[in-house]
Amino acid sequence: QVHLVESGGGLVQDGGSLRLSCVTSGGTMSRYAMGWFRMAPGQLREFVSAISWTDGQTYYTDSVKGRFTISRDNAKNTVYLQMNNLKPEDTAIYYCAASGSHYYPFEFHNWGQGTQVTVSS
């Protein structure tokens, strides 16, 4: 069972940047697709981004394309989400997730505890 711990959240102004990190343990991260999801107050959890473990292909929801970048460092068992030009509507708890799926859309079964991102206007 892979264990995930997110960090890097915080309070930032409109237009600012943050980099989220997710460290994995208890599994071989190089064999997992990794993803980021978020949940805003009163809303359902939504997909943000994912990166394949087979070919490094990346995927983004439309609202973050061109602003967010997902990357992974298998040697450090860490996946990152670089978030630029943040907007108030990006405010949410961000969750890291791992999937053993080979193909997109991935099925995520392992989740971190989340990190809060707040963007002030």
Side-chain angles (χ1 to χ4, degrees):
Q1 179 88 358
V2 63
H3 184 60
L4 311 171
V5 179
E6 304 96 332
S7 63
L11 174 64
V12 65
Q13 290 188 332
D14 190 355
S17 297
L18 284 173
R19 187 176 80 156
L20 305 184
S21 298
C22 173
V23 178
T24 69
S25 60
T28 305
M29 198 192 83
S30 61
R31 294 185 178 271
Y32 290 93
M34 300 299 296
W36 289 94
F37 291 73
R38 65 187 180 186
M39 184 181 295
Q43 298 187 21
L44 298 175
R45 185 172 60 196
E46 68 167 343
F47 169 80
V48 176
S49 181
I51 184 166
S52 167
W53 70 274
T54 55
D55 59 6
Q57 180 76 33
T58 58
Y59 306 87
Y60 299 94
T61 191
D62 286 346
S63 63
V64 308
K65 285 180 181 177
R67 300 189 297 124
F68 291 11
T69 302
I70 189 171
S71 62
R72 62 191 299 158
D73 185 336
N74 291 334
K76 295 183 177 180
N77 292 322
T78 303
V79 62
Y80 304 97
L81 186 67
Q82 177 67 44
M83 305 186 295
N84 297 328
N85 191 22
L86 282 160
K87 304 175 181 180
E89 52 264 41
D90 295 317
T91 295
I93 299 174
Y94 283 71
Y95 298 91
C96 176
S99 166
S101 301
H102 286 64
Y103 303 109
Y104 185 81
F106 309 115
E107 293 186 13
F108 292 94
H109 299 292
N110 300 94
W111 298 85
Q113 83 290 345
T115 185
Q116 177 71 48
V117 172
T118 304
V119 185
S120 63
S121 58

